[in-house]
Amino acid sequence: MPEPTTLNHTDTLLLAVKQPFNFRYTLWKPSHFATDLEQHSQDTSWRTFRVGERICGVVMTMDSDDILRAEVFSDSGWTDADRDRLSARLIHSYGLSEDISAFVAEAERVPQMAVPLSELAGMRQSCPENLFEIAIISLLLQNATVARTTQMMTNLLDHYGHLATFDGVTLKAFFTPADIAGIDEAVFRERDRLGYRAKYIGRFAEFFTNHDPDEVDHASKAELMTKFQTIKGVGPYTAAIIAGSAVRDPSALGLDVWNRKILAQRFLDLDDAEVPIVQAKMSELFPGYEGLAGLYVIEDVYRQHAVVELVGEIESASDR
């Protein structure tokens, strides 16, 4: 991996958020695997973003109950267009302007949701990745354990990504479609250890070379899914992750083996159940909000045993 690029402070964004809003659990999800693209403490989040070809680092805190402050670090040449693009990305990625009150009212009628709604009150879906990036992550999640997905992601970021230093932290930054375009399938398979995914990742790069991955919030769900599923390797689970995260569809529920078991245990009192049975139960209880309801339950399960802990908690654990 190349030497880190040092980014300098270039901008401050003050973005309005609609209440109820949970800063900590919106920006940090306890269930998410390690990528080294982000770091979180109890009250601060550090994250790299690609704004077009540009790499920037963003430090996010709450300026007040209703304002998210984003300190932006970048290289020279930061423009108003870059500012507008990043602002739109943050608002969309974290659902800052979304009203989740209808979901909360619906979920409050289900007794099994009492603890998740209390502990995670105001949590939104989050997808800081653009459409290309979440597509790559979705591909790596297919039929893989957390450890295996983490290994593949580490290989790809180390070989094709970048390092950025800002505000005292050094984080990885995602590669662009151009960064991996033309890489031979055998390289993805042998060096990056992608297994069967090696034959698909180049197709993702080709698709997004011709489709701006930041335009997701301007596309309808139906239009986007129709286009995206023309790429071989995109199945129902991958499409559901993309719809629920990038397109922010609160009904989209991606059911892998682990999530399926968690929801079967919570709502069916079963150790496990087939996907159609779990899906039908979620639709019965949370029509229109199956994905968001599932997210609350899953993150509540991981809350006490986070895959990647908050910075302060990691330091506290090392002192014991």
Side-chain angles (χ1 to χ4, degrees):
M1 203 166 192
E3 290 296 311
T5 299
T6 299
L7 306 177
N8 299 311
H9 186 270
T10 55
D11 207 346
T12 298
L13 308 178
L14 299 176
L15 305 173
V17 300
K18 187 168 183 62
Q19 295 297 326
F21 180 73
N22 189 315
F23 171 83
R24 181 65 291 134
Y25 285 109
T26 296
L27 274 67
W28 170 69
K29 293 295 191 291
S31 70
H32 286 188
F33 67 92
T35 62
D36 293 326
L37 297 167
E38 58 189 9
Q39 179 175 294
H40 307 275
S41 69
Q42 192 61 244
D43 58 7
T44 307
S45 286
W46 296 262
R47 170 82 199 199
T48 58
F49 291 88
R50 299 303 297 255
V51 180
E53 294 296 315
R54 188 188 299 278
I55 298 171
C56 64
V58 181
V59 184
M60 292 170 280
T61 57
M62 290 303 291
D63 200 55
S64 67
D65 288 345
D66 300 314
I67 300 292
L68 184 144
R69 173 183 288 267
E71 301 292 353
V72 182
F73 296 75
S74 185
D75 53 11
S76 59
W78 184 252
T79 67
D80 288 343
D82 293 328
R83 185 180 212 264
D84 292 343
R85 187 163 178 156
L86 179 61
S87 296
R89 175 85 171 272
L90 296 177
I91 292 168
H92 180 77
S93 293
Y94 300 114
L96 302 185
S97 60
E98 289 177 357
D99 184 354
I100 63 169
S101 59
F103 158 71
V104 173
E106 190 170 278
E108 283 177 339
R109 297 196 291 265
V110 180
Q112 298 96 319
M113 292 295 292
V115 172
L117 288 175
S118 173
E119 296 294 337
L120 306 174
M123 180 182 72
R124 313 289 172 84
Q125 293 172 326
S126 59
C127 183
E129 296 81 17
N130 64 26
L131 188 57
F132 167 69
E133 294 162 358
I134 194 60
I136 295 295
I137 291 174
S138 300
L139 179 66
L140 301 185
L141 285 167
Q142 288 181 4
N143 304 312
T145 63
V146 170
R148 176 79 173 101
T149 298
T150 302
Q151 177 196 47
M152 291 186 287
M153 189 69 184
T154 297
N155 290 343
L156 289 174
L157 289 174
D158 285 352
H159 296 154
Y160 312 110
H162 306 268
L163 283 175
T165 297
F166 62 99
D167 195 48
V169 304
T170 297
L171 296 174
K172 295 177 181 178
F174 228 105
F175 45 90
T176 66
D179 289 328
I180 64 170
I183 302 295
D184 193 85
E185 178 184 324
V187 175
F188 287 130
R189 185 181 303 277
E190 296 165 15
R191 185 174 77 151
D192 301 316
R193 312 296 294 174
L194 297 191
Y196 76 88
R197 301 162 190 82
K199 62 184 176 183
Y200 301 129
I201 190 169
R203 296 168 184 164
F204 282 44
E206 181 182 356
F207 180 88
F208 285 107
T209 297
N210 300 311
H211 297 80
D212 187 340
D214 275 339
E215 293 299 315
V216 56
D217 53 329
H218 302 299
S220 71
K221 174 191 169 186
E223 176 189 356
L224 184 62
M225 292 301 102
T226 298
K227 286 182 179 179
F228 198 62
Q229 289 183 83
T230 62
I231 306 172
K232 188 175 180 181
V234 177
Y237 175 62
T238 304
I241 290 178
I242 296 167
S245 300
V247 187
R248 308 196 61 80
D249 176 4
S251 70
L253 179 63
L255 289 171
D256 59 24
V257 62
W258 297 279
N259 295 348
R260 187 188 72 210
K261 288 182 178 180
I262 288 172
L263 297 178
Q265 290 164 9
R266 181 64 61 99
F267 298 112
L268 293 165
D269 293 324
L270 298 172
D271 289 337
D272 198 359
E274 295 297 323
V275 167
I277 295 174
V278 176
Q279 180 70 57
K281 187 63 176 180
M282 295 298 289
S283 295
E284 172 194 331
L285 293 173
F286 312 102
Y289 297 101
E290 295 93 329
L292 191 53
L295 180 70
Y296 266 73
V297 172
I298 290 160
E299 296 305 331
D300 185 55
V301 169
Y302 278 93
R303 184 170 51 85
Q304 298 298 329
H305 305 283
V307 177
V308 180
E309 293 187 351
L310 298 172
V311 171
E313 295 179 7
I314 295 172
E315 293 170 350
S316 297
S318 67
D319 291 338
R320 291 197 291 268

